[in-house]
Amino acid sequence: MSEKSNPFKGIPSLFSRSSKNQDAATPPVVIADGRQLIADSKFFDAAWYLLQNPDVAASQIAPIDHYFTCGEKEGRNPGPDFDVAWYTKKYPEFAATKVGALEHYLRHGHLENKSSTLAEYRTKLENDPRMFEERVALKGAPLKVYTSPPLTRRINLIVDTMAFNELSTHESSIQRTIHRGLKVSVLLAEATGSSLRFVTRVARAQVSGFKKYLLANNLRIPSQVEFVYSDYVIASASLPVSRWDIFITVDEANTASVRKSIPEKGIFVVAPSGASEATQSPQGHADDEDDDVSDLIHDLSRSCASVFV
Amino acid sequence: MFSFDFKPLHYEHPWSVSHEHRLSTLLKGDIKVAYLYEAPPKNTFRYRVYNMVQALNQSSRGFSASYFSPDEWSTIAAHIDEIDVFVVSRVRYTAELNQLLTRARNKGKRIFFDIDDFLFDPDYTHLIVDTLDLPSTEDTWNYWFSLISRIRASIQLCDAVITTNAFLAEKLTQYFGKPVHVVPNFMNEEQIGISNQIFQLKKDSGWKRDNDITLGYFSGTQTHNKDFEVIVSALAELFAADSRIKLRIGGHLAISEPIAKYTDRLELLPFCDFVNLQTSVGKVDINLVPLQENVFSNCKSELKYFEAAAVGTVTIATPIYTYSHAIEDGKNGFLSSSYDWLDKLSYIVAHLDEQPSIAESALKDCQERYWLKPQITALERIFSS
């Protein structure tokens, strides 16, 4: 098999603790015995299993026998790198087969690019080109919201990530775009007397450096800021919304997601600024960008007035 | 962590007293106040019933009080002519409650409802369920819509309301249009007794501590995952930056990803009674009270602040209504906005030598506002009027 056509290229071996009968140079063959397949896989860690399950340690039953006969059925994990509950929930189709979750993964799942844990799935979504369509579908799914009585006017910024210590350097175009969304959100909240809610969907916001970032960009510190991590992979947090919520988006995927849940008049899509961005420095922004944002805030404030009624 | 030795005290629920004893206590005074509560007793019972009854029974103005669960209300009904005041503590509507209160009202008795949470407006049920991070199941919705609607119905049977703070009082006034009185949560004699000893031990030792810096998060219930989420990224950065930092967790909490890896620096305390809990709180260097900022959280009381202050532990809290009114930032504790936790915690860790004076200020403040004695007068005023 040529390297180019090898579909398993880049996939780590599932059999790091190779069977004594196997030649290390030859790829693993499918072993008919599920118990042996699991025992030989890198996902079964007998020491870890005993540590996590003191009752098994006390029972004197061999860990592999316990896991294979009843442990997995009881929802116990074979090691730190395989999550039985997550795999079962994520790939419910495997339940129709007669084998357990780990055995299914070893025989079929890994060949189908399935993931053994949520963490691995998340990494693949962000980095594996084969997962692109799935990623787009998940990110474009309707933002999880529910209606709650209106209490305060609120400006919401929806972005993938937010790390203020990194944002202050504006190195990448993504950071510059997020920076622009932040600046518009903070200024708009100030102009309309609204509170702020920053929602990240790929990673939890790194909030340290927030005040320094605001000061470096001549922005006032808002009185109330809420940070919410609404993980797009597992749709972890549902956002309370009312007719007094304005949503600001800066990228296509999150805009698509917000549009499915929020009325159009409550969504402001902030496009990246023009060539002036290239002149931005860590200390602040070029005057022409300030003018640009100032005009934008003026326009958006007027739009907000029709929403905040 | 603070270095002091204090042997665990033998604990029995101080409110486990026979019905006969409670009834005779109630009937002793000139102004008899009967508290009606729902079994089994939990935190709300302790703060809003047991402590109030303890305070009233220490009054020198002829008050006597006691508490009764639904299975005892028929006995109470037999003494209805002798009782002057009924206080319904967060009891859900039932036919039996309605019947008892209808009879009491017809006899000219005064009826109060005591509530310490924003649990009376069904429009906010989803927000509350979400804030508490509860699963969206049939059981969840049935329980919470029922709870809130039934509490609302019970409040409507009463003449006036007693609550814990002015923010919640305003919500109650707007919703029901009835008179609302504020009596904050406060420490009972049992808590004060053990806390005084622990505070003195710490003071006598010169506020001696070991080399670790232990943060404490005492959630108590399983419903604070989202509150803790407010500080997760700050804690993760603090753990990474300073190997002395540890976290002691009292209560149930889902430990999320960024700090779950520091297993050797996390300490999960087993369940503890409210008296001996004071020792655990007294041991930690900083008491963490992060909260989501919404209408439900803003109705919460400041009890996490004064429970820690009583044992000389400094609190850092989200500036919701009560904490922003109780804590003067840097003087008797610390306040932190959602984005400020790392900076504030780093400051506190770098200035541990300032802790004793802050702890002394906090104790003095709490003795004036959240100790049993000052609240006796407040209760006397409400029930005399």
Side-chain angles (χ1 to χ4, degrees):
Chain A
M1 187 185 288
S2 72
E3 204 172 83
K4 193 177 176 185
S5 63
N6 180 1
F8 308 125
K9 184 174 176 288
I11 299 176
S13 167
L14 304 179
F15 299 88
S16 58
R17 283 188 299 280
S18 58
S19 162
K20 284 174 189 168
N21 299 331
Q22 282 179 345
D23 179 343
T26 56
V29 292
V30 174
I31 303 166
D33 179 4
R35 179 190 170 285
Q36 193 62 43
L37 186 69
I38 291 169
D40 287 344
S41 80
K42 70 171 189 179
F43 295 98
F44 187 75
D45 184 334
W48 183 93
Y49 193 73
L50 290 176
L51 201 64
Q52 298 291 317
N53 300 288
D55 58 324
V56 180
S59 73
Q60 304 288 313
I61 300 170
I64 182 61
D65 289 336
H66 184 275
Y67 179 77
F68 189 68
T69 54
C70 58
E72 186 180 294
K73 291 187 190 83
E74 292 165 1
R76 308 190 201 213
N77 291 330
D81 298 324
F82 191 86
D83 186 334
V84 172
W86 182 83
Y87 191 86
T88 307
K89 191 176 172 194
K90 175 67 186 165
Y91 308 112
E93 67 274 14
F94 107 84
T97 67
K98 299 231 162 103
V99 298
L102 179 52
E103 188 177 341
H104 180 269
Y105 175 76
L106 294 171
R107 290 188 190 280
H108 312 286
H110 78 283
L111 298 173
E112 296 158 5
N113 202 27
K114 287 182 164 57
S115 304
S116 59
T117 61
L118 173 60
E120 189 198 8
Y121 179 63
R122 198 185 293 283
T123 305
K124 279 185 185 172
L125 276 175
E126 290 298 318
N127 304 304
D128 187 338
R130 290 173 293 176
M131 304 286 280
F132 177 77
E133 283 181 15
E134 195 165 339
R135 180 174 190 269
V136 169
L138 281 172
K139 284 200 76 179
L143 186 71
K144 224 172 145 189
V145 297
Y146 65 92
T147 300
S148 197
L151 286 170
T152 55
R153 296 166 172 182
R154 182 167 44 198
I155 306 294
N156 302 264
L157 174 65
I158 314 290
V159 291
D160 282 354
T161 60
M162 201 178 277
F164 292 99
N165 286 331
E166 291 169 22
L167 272 176
S168 58
T169 59
H170 309 318
E171 279 171 355
S172 68
S173 63
I174 295 170
Q175 286 172 348
R176 285 199 296 275
T177 306
I178 294 172
H179 159 72
R180 189 170 161 80
L182 269 165
K183 189 169 184 179
V184 169
S185 306
V186 173
L187 289 171
L188 192 58
E190 187 185 335
T192 58
S194 307
S195 66
L196 275 165
R197 179 164 62 186
F198 295 137
V199 181
T200 54
R201 300 188 69 217
V202 170
R204 188 177 276 105
Q206 300 295 307
V207 300
S208 61
F210 179 64
K211 278 202 296 192
K212 200 171 154 191
Y213 167 82
L214 293 176
L215 291 171
N217 289 284
N218 300 318
L219 297 168
R220 280 192 200 164
I221 295 169
S223 58
Q224 190 180 339
V225 186
E226 187 185 357
F227 293 90
V228 179
Y229 176 30
S230 183
D231 184 348
Y232 81 99
V233 180
I234 56 171
S236 58
S238 188
L239 304 173
V241 296
S242 76
R243 63 176 189 273
W244 286 353
D245 273 292
I246 296 282
F247 283 77
I248 293 177
T249 59
V250 297
D251 64 86
E252 209 173 308
N254 285 316
T255 303
S257 173
V258 173
R259 278 199 166 127
K260 287 171 188 153
S261 300
I262 302 296
E264 197 63 38
K265 70 171 186 174
I267 305 170
F268 301 156
V269 182
V270 175
S273 63
S276 64
E277 279 188 327
T279 63
Q280 288 165 5
S281 69
Q283 284 73 41
H285 298 279
D287 287 343
D288 51 355
E289 200 224 342
D290 283 346
D291 290 344
D292 166 36
V293 171
S294 177
D295 291 344
L296 188 58
I297 296 302
H298 180 73
D299 292 344
L300 292 182
S301 298
R302 289 171 62 183
S303 302
C304 282
S306 68
V307 176
F308 293 150
V309 286
Chain B
M1 186 180 279
F2 285 101
S3 309
F4 65 84
D5 288 323
F6 192 84
K7 284 186 184 167
L9 299 179
H10 172 72
Y11 175 82
E12 279 176 21
H13 293 318
W15 45 80
S16 295
V17 180
S18 72
H19 173 77
E20 291 71 26
H21 181 81
R22 279 179 286 123
L23 187 61
S24 69
T25 303
L26 172 69
L27 300 177
K28 253 183 222 170
D30 299 327
I31 305 172
K32 302 169 189 64
V33 184
Y35 274 78
L36 310 180
Y37 74 98
E38 277 187 358
K42 290 185 180 169
N43 274 355
T44 292
F45 167 83
R46 174 156 55 85
Y47 274 109
R48 302 310 297 176
V49 177
Y50 178 74
N51 292 5
M52 302 291 162
V53 166
Q54 192 176 64
L56 282 167
N57 285 328
Q58 290 189 17
S59 162
S60 56
R61 294 181 56 190
F63 282 91
S64 61
S66 205
Y67 42 90
F68 303 93
S69 59
D71 57 338
E72 298 169 316
W73 292 352
S74 55
T75 320
I76 294 307
H79 292 274
I80 202 162
D81 290 327
E82 298 159 78
I83 298 167
D84 300 285
V85 179
F86 286 85
V87 183
V88 183
S89 176
R90 229 172 102 160
V91 178
R92 287 170 287 186
Y93 182 93
T94 61
E96 291 72 21
L97 179 72
N98 189 333
Q99 189 180 5
L100 179 59
L101 298 185
T102 300
R103 284 191 61 208
R105 185 180 306 102
N106 290 341
K107 287 177 176 291
K109 309 297 178 183
R110 282 168 294 149
I111 306 168
F112 295 84
F113 194 91
D114 191 294
I115 187 163
D116 59 350
D117 257 327
F118 186 54
L119 291 176
F120 48 82
D121 185 346
D123 287 351
Y124 289 90
T125 306
H126 195 145
L127 182 78
I128 291 164
V129 165
D130 181 35
T131 303
L132 300 176
D133 198 26
L134 299 169
S136 175
T137 62
E138 277 294 305
D139 285 349
T140 297
W141 299 118
N142 286 340
Y143 176 82
W144 286 91
F145 270 102
S146 158
L147 172 77
I148 290 170
S149 302
R150 288 173 66 192
I151 285 178
R152 180 183 60 175
S154 295
I155 295 175
Q156 280 163 341
L157 294 173
C158 301
D159 306 319
V161 185
I162 304 171
T163 191
T164 44
N165 63 70
F167 186 90
L168 187 50
E170 190 188 331
K171 297 286 171 203
L172 285 157
T173 305
Q174 283 170 2
Y175 198 87
F176 294 101
K178 294 174 187 283
V180 180
H181 308 275
V182 173
V183 179
N185 284 339
F186 56 84
M187 304 271 285
N188 60 35
E189 296 289 14
E190 293 83 355
Q191 284 174 298
I192 292 170
I194 186 172
S195 301
N196 284 346
Q197 294 178 62
I198 291 167
F199 193 97
Q200 200 58 45
L201 275 174
K202 287 168 80 168
K203 195 174 175 180
D204 292 347
S205 74
W207 302 89
K208 191 179 165 195
R209 45 163 53 99
D210 60 22
N211 291 329
D212 291 331
I213 297 170
T214 304
L215 315 178
Y217 182 70
F218 298 92
S219 60
T221 61
Q222 286 174 314
T223 54
H224 293 279
N225 291 339
K226 286 195 164 187
D227 290 328
F228 189 72
E229 176 69 21
V230 170
I231 54 168
V232 163
S233 71
L235 283 184
E237 287 193 52
L238 201 62
F239 273 135
D242 190 337
S243 60
R244 297 172 301 164
I245 303 293
K246 293 189 171 178
L247 177 65
R248 168 177 275 203
I249 298 164
H252 305 275
L253 187 69
I255 309 288
S256 53
E257 209 177 306
I259 60 164
K261 62 183 175 186
Y262 296 102
T263 45
D264 57 331
R265 290 155 72 180
L266 303 177
E267 181 195 8
L268 300 172
L269 291 181
F271 174 78
C272 179
D273 63 79
F274 78 94
V275 177
N276 288 297
L277 176 67
Q278 290 302 98
T279 312
S280 295
V281 176
K283 285 273 181 183
V284 303
D285 296 286
I286 304 163
N287 177 42
L288 305 171
V289 189
L291 289 159
Q292 300 158 78
E293 292 185 67
N294 62 33
V295 64
F296 180 68
S297 305
N298 266 294
C299 294
K300 291 283 175 192
S301 95
E302 54 282 80
L303 65 88
K304 298 287 175 201
Y305 159 64
F306 64 70
E307 284 177 350
V311 289
T313 295
V314 171
T315 292
I316 175 167
T318 295
I320 60 161
Y321 178 86
T322 45
Y323 287 108
S324 64
H325 282 73
I327 296 176
E328 195 175 332
D329 194 28
K331 192 185 167 206
N332 56 359
F334 293 91
L335 296 168
S336 176
S337 298
S338 56
Y339 50 83
D340 228 6
W341 282 89
L342 182 62
D343 287 349
K344 282 282 173 80
L345 285 170
S346 301
Y347 174 88
I348 298 169
V349 166
H351 297 83
L352 288 175
D353 55 322
E354 293 177 7
Q355 296 276 59
S357 68
I358 295 172
E360 296 268 11
S361 296
L363 177 67
K364 188 168 176 292
D365 170 51
C366 290
Q367 284 173 334
E368 287 167 8
R369 294 201 276 176
Y370 309 113
W371 247 232
L372 184 137
K373 291 263 186 279
Q375 297 306 331
I376 294 175
T377 316
L379 288 166
E380 286 171 346
R381 197 164 45 237
I382 293 167
F383 296 134
S384 300
S385 61

